[in-house]
């Protein structure tokens, strides 16, 4: 069975759309279609137009839930990050320092959406 080089669940919605569109354009040749669709995703990631590598749940929290205390944020953030970056962020990568940094980002961004 032929599968994408990048697991579907590790693609953003935009990447899934681009992959599916690229694949569909050559669906009569599945092996070549997969290769070209994977290549399109690699090129899309190089563009980083959504800045996906640097976004995280702290930005969404700032947009939708300003006013969290550090304690509330510290309890929520590791779970939200594991869900948002499933397969990309491992639980042992979420340190107290990274949580503090994310909280500072959250506080700065919250004022943008106030």
């Amino acid at each position: 069975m032929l599968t994408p080089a990048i697991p579907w669940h590790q693609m953003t919605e935009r990447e899934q759309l681009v992959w599916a569109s690229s694949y569909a354009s050559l669906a009569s040749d599945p092996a070549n279609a997969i290769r070209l669709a994977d290549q399109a995703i690699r090129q899309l990631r190089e563009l980083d137009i959504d800045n996906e590598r640097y976004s995280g749940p702290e930005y969404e929290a700032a947009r939708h839930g300003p006013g969290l205390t550090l304690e509330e944020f510290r309890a929520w953030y590791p779970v939200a990050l594991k869900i948002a970056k499933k397969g990309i962020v491992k639980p042992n990568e979420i340190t107290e320092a990274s949580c503090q940094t994310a909280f500072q980002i959250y506080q700065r961004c919250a004022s943008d959406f106030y």
Side-chain angles (χ1 to χ4, degrees):
M1 182 175 160
L2 300 172
T3 59
I6 303 163
W8 191 256
H9 70 276
Q10 290 182 3
M11 292 184 205
T12 65
E13 289 180 19
R14 182 187 310 270
E15 290 171 346
Q16 290 175 353
L17 179 64
V18 168
W19 195 95
S21 299
S22 297
Y23 179 85
S25 68
L26 289 169
S28 61
D29 181 6
N32 198 33
I34 289 173
R35 185 182 59 76
L36 290 174
D38 288 344
Q39 181 180 355
I41 297 307
R42 285 190 294 277
Q43 290 172 338
L44 182 62
R45 285 186 173 182
E46 285 178 25
L47 293 174
D48 198 24
I49 58 177
D50 294 321
N51 202 19
E52 285 291 326
R53 283 177 264 185
Y54 304 107
S55 65
E58 61 271 28
Y59 297 99
E60 288 300 312
R63 181 177 293 128
H64 300 292
L68 293 175
T69 66
L70 176 59
E71 292 75 27
E72 292 169 327
F73 187 87
R74 187 182 290 130
W76 165 83
Y77 180 72
V79 175
L81 186 62
K82 284 187 268 186
I83 292 169
K85 303 287 185 173
K86 183 179 180 186
I88 298 171
V89 174
K90 295 179 177 40
N92 62 344
E93 295 174 348
I94 305 169
T95 64
E96 179 62 28
S98 67
C99 190
Q100 288 281 345
T101 300
F103 183 69
Q104 291 169 357
I105 292 169
Y106 161 75
Q107 287 183 309
R108 285 193 307 267
C109 291
S111 65
D112 293 344
F113 298 107
Y114 230 8

